[in-house]
Every structure is written in C-alpha cells, then in structure tokens.
Amino acid sequence: MVHDSTATLVCQLNAGRVNSWRVSTTLDSAFYIDAVEEALRRYGQPEILNTDQGSQFTSRDCTDVLASRQIQSSRDGQGCWRDNIFVERLWRTLKYEEVYLHASATVSEARTGLSRYRTLYTSRRRHSSLADHTPDEAYFHVLRSPQPVAA
C-alpha cells in the first residue's frame, strides 16, 4: 500500500464537481499549483478557493498564485470540519470506497485508481443532494442555465 502520499483536490463547490486533482509524495507546493492552474484554465476563476492549513497550501508560492489572480483564500481552521463539509465528505468517501479497498502498491496504481474513481463519482454516480443528478450534470447545467439579470 502506498503510504505518506499527499493528495489535493481542487474543487468548485457548485454541484460538487472535482475539476482538477493531483497526487504527490512530497509536501512540495508544485503539485497544488499545477492543479489550481489547470482548473483555472479549464473552468474559469472562482472568487474563493478553500484549502487545508498545510504548509504546501500556505506557502508563499501558493498564496502568490491566488493573490495574482485576486482569488480569496479560505482555510479551514484546525478541527473545523464544518468549514468545508463538501470536501471533507468527498475525502471520506474517496478513502473508504477507493483508497482503503484497493490498497495501491505504487503511486502510479494510486493515480490510476483515483482517476477511475473520479470518473465514477462525477459522471456516473447520482447524488441525492443534487436531486439525483451526477455532479457533471449539475455543474454543467448550472453553467448553461440563464442567470437572472439585476434590474
């Protein structure tokens, strides 16, 4: 089983869709920056990006990426799981349904398993909290829906 791996998921919270992710075996911030930049290129810029308090997320390199794009950073407080319940729930589900069940022997196997699970979770699994839609259906519907115009 792969131990001591750090993973990050960059999520846009509307519809709970995971737009970018990376796995890293170090606490280096490069993997996080790559994931953020990919999500920004593919899906646009959020107003706020939520992260954990870890040193790879609070490093100068990471905060500069967000600051240069005027994205506010929100960090969960220690023990404040309610601050970002969606991501906490996603991590729990991911661990119990993929990581613990498949016990990857290599980082490459872990990446393959996580990729397979992401496809299941976002494009095939229906979520009761999304009116029995998949996160992909809910996310792309929100983007295509006409937005009300202020009078």
Side-chain angles (χ1 to χ4, degrees), residues 91-149:
W91 275 118
R92 181 184 178 277
T93 302
L94 177 71
K95 287 176 185 177
Y96 281 90
E97 294 183 7
E98 174 59 34
V99 176
Y100 299 154
L101 288 179
H102 299 284
S104 303
T106 66
V107 174
S108 179
E109 283 180 25
R111 284 188 178 110
T112 300
L114 290 169
S115 182
R116 180 183 59 241
Y117 188 81
R118 177 184 176 208
T119 299
L120 166 73
Y121 189 87
T122 62
S123 63
R124 297 198 333 239
R125 177 180 280 176
R126 304 213 170 270
H127 297 250
S128 60
S129 63
L130 300 174
D132 288 327
H133 289 93
T134 67
D136 278 353
E137 291 168 343
Y139 179 81
F140 290 113
H141 174 73
V142 166
L143 291 179
R144 285 192 308 263
S145 296
Q147 299 300 312
V149 177

Side-chain angles (χ1 to χ4, degrees), residues 31-43:
F31 78 104
Y32 170 77
I33 293 169
D34 287 346
V36 168
E37 288 178 346
E38 177 188 340
L40 293 174
R41 275 191 314 277
R42 295 178 74 189
Y43 301 101

Side-chain angles (χ1 to χ4, degrees), residues 22-36:
R22 296 288 186 282
V23 176
S24 177
T25 58
T26 71
L27 293 179
D28 185 314
S29 60
F31 78 104
Y32 170 77
I33 293 169
D34 287 346
V36 168

Side-chain angles (χ1 to χ4, degrees), residues 8-22 32 35-36 39-40 43-51 71 84-91 94 118 121-122 139:
T8 189
L9 297 175
V10 178
C11 303
Q12 295 203 3
L13 295 180
N14 55 346
R17 185 172 189 281
V18 177
N19 288 337
S20 179
W21 63 276
R22 296 288 186 282
Y32 170 77
V36 168
L40 293 174
Y43 301 101
Q45 180 169 312
E47 291 180 30
I48 300 171
L49 198 138
N50 184 279
T51 69
I71 298 171
N84 197 3
I85 190 70
F86 167 75
V87 173
E88 297 299 332
R89 179 66 180 158
L90 173 60
W91 275 118
L94 177 71
R118 177 184 176 208
Y121 189 87
T122 62
Y139 179 81

